[in-house]
């Protein structure tokens, strides 16, 4: 049987250079991902390469180098910061005699570790099963075709076919449960719309400070830590803002570059908090020199889930690390475009609240104009 080697905690990271301009940023990010998953990074292997090797992704010479590093560091896990095919994973594990995972598997593992709500666990399980469905070829080779009892003797179905069928049934069940939760969420959302309550969602790159800002605004006590994907489950709270009344503010899961599509699909119900919001507060780590690339990655995911057209206000967070002063920046039309704050120190939060109040007033005035226009149109239709 082609059993996979047991997973360990002492890891070697592999990052190959295919000409990316931000190689160091990617290496730092995968290091943080590994640590967030509980691994101890003992070594890093990197080097230039024109294209992936079809068999082992890294090539024969690099695989030998990884094996030597594994032995020297007594490591038992190899993490590729790339997307590996099932065959490449299988070949690498056969050569290295240890567990090999790719970036997608690593992120899925972190999501499984962090999910706490029933819905979050269902979403993570769905993403894991859909990822696993492409990797069932690696096991069960020791089994012949199953044979049933009386009246059932014959070739039967292979264990691999059985596993695929059972996995497909479980995926179908999970999707049905998530669809039911999505319908419940739609009912709640319609109730908020009837109450004309402003809906605001926090979005941004993972570890940009969304949960810290959410806690600072709402005193919700959501778990916040200096690690990637510290929280997964969407949390919503009412927030009283002077001049705007009650608004509903939601903290959503953080985004990251090359976020697996299976995760985006599985978490679509959770991310509806962003697609149905009146306003997105795009939280940016202003202290990160990769902030522009991170903003682009966030906008890519927003485009993918259909939230790109929702009005955004950039929240320039962590100004306490850059010695910038709190402030509000407006565009050429006088509309608020960016607010500079420090969620941890509390600097600029009053400006953010005032910005929310200004947006709420503008939305209320726009709604009144729409209602007045609709009423005039109805009167004209009645007269005619």
């Amino acid at each position: 049987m082609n059993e996979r080697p047991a997973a360990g905690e002492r890891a070697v990271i592999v990052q190959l250079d295919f000409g990316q301009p931000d190689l160091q940023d990617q290496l730092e990010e995968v290091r943080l991902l590994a640590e967030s998953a509980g691994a101890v990074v003992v070594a890093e292997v990197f080097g230039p390469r024109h294209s992936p090797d079809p068999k082992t992704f890294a090539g024969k010479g690099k695989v030998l180098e990884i094996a030597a590093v594994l032995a020297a560091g007594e490591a038992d896990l190899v993490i590729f910061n790339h997307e590996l095919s099932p065959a490449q994973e299988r070949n690498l594990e056969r050569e290295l005699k240890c567990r090999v995972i790719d970036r997608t598997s690593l992120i899925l593992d972190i999501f499984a570790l962090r999910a706490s709500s029933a819905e979050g666990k269902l979403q993570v399980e769905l993403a894991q099963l859909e990822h696993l469905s492409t990797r069932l070829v690696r096991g069960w080779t020791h089994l012949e075709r199953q044979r049933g009892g009386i009246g059932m003797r014959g070739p039967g179905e292979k264990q691999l076919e059985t596993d695929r069928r059972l996995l497909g049934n479980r995926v179908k069940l999970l999707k049905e449960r998530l669809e039911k939760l999505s319908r419940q969420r739609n009912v709640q959302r319609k109730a908020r719309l009837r109450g004309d309550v402003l809906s605001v969602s926090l979005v941004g790159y993972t570890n940009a400070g969304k949960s810290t800002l959410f806690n600072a605004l709402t005193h919700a006590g959501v778990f916040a830590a200096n690690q990637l994907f510290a929280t997964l489950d969407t949390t919503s709270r009412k927030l009283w803002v002077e001049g705007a009344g009650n608004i509903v503010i939601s903290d959503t899961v953080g985004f990251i570059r090359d976020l697996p599509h299976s995760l985006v699909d599985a978490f679509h119900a959770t991310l509806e908090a962003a697609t149905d919001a009146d306003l997105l507060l795009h939280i940016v780590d202003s202290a990160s020199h990769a902030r522009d690339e991170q903003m682009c990655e966030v906008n890519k995911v927003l485009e993918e889930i259909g939230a790109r057209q929702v009005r955004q206000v950039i929240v320039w967070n962590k100004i306490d690390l850059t010695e910038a002063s709190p402030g509000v920046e407006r565009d050429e039309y006088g509309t608020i475009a960016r607010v500079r704050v420090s969620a941890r120190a509390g600097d600029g939060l009053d400006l953010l609240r005032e910005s929310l109040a200004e947006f709420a007033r503008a939305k209320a005035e726009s709604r009144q104009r729409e209602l007045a226009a609709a009423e005039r149109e109805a009167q004209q239709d009645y007269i005619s």
Side-chain angles (χ1 to χ4, degrees), residues 104-119:
T104 298
S105 298
L106 178 61
I107 294 176
L108 286 171
D109 186 77
I110 297 172
F111 271 56
L113 185 66
R114 299 279 190 267
S116 57
S117 70
E119 184 177 12

Side-chain angles (χ1 to χ4, degrees), residues 351-365:
L351 297 174
L352 182 57
R353 291 189 182 93
E354 292 172 7
S355 300
L356 291 174
E358 181 177 326
F359 178 82
R361 288 192 297 268
K363 180 177 181 291
E365 292 172 359

Side-chain angles (χ1 to χ4, degrees), residues 327-361:
V328 175
E329 301 176 20
R330 298 178 181 270
D331 59 20
E332 62 271 24
Y333 305 104
T335 305
I336 295 174
R338 180 185 295 175
V339 183
R340 299 189 300 272
V341 305
S342 170
R344 184 176 63 176
D347 300 331
L349 295 186
D350 54 338
L351 297 174
L352 182 57
R353 291 189 182 93
E354 292 172 7
S355 300
L356 291 174
E358 181 177 326
F359 178 82
R361 288 192 297 268

Side-chain angles (χ1 to χ4, degrees), residues 35-67:
E35 292 171 353
S36 296
V40 178
V41 179
V42 299
E44 298 164 355
V45 176
F46 51 91
R49 187 172 180 85
H50 293 295
S51 60
D53 180 76
K55 184 178 180 181
T56 61
F57 191 87
K60 185 175 182 179
K62 188 61 66 176
V63 170
L64 292 175
E65 180 183 344
I66 296 170

Side-chain angles (χ1 to χ4, degrees), residues 3-64:
E3 287 282 8
R4 296 193 67 184
E9 295 183 349
R10 294 175 60 82
V12 172
I13 290 175
V14 179
Q15 172 70 65
L16 300 181
D17 181 8
F18 295 103
Q20 309 98 309
D22 53 352
L23 186 64
Q24 287 302 317
D25 292 337
Q26 293 189 36
L27 188 59
E28 176 63 23
E29 187 171 88
V30 70
R31 189 185 300 114
L32 291 174
L33 283 171
E35 292 171 353
S36 296
V40 178
V41 179
V42 299
E44 298 164 355
V45 176
F46 51 91
R49 187 172 180 85
H50 293 295
S51 60
D53 180 76
K55 184 178 180 181
T56 61
F57 191 87
K60 185 175 182 179
K62 188 61 66 176
V63 170
L64 292 175

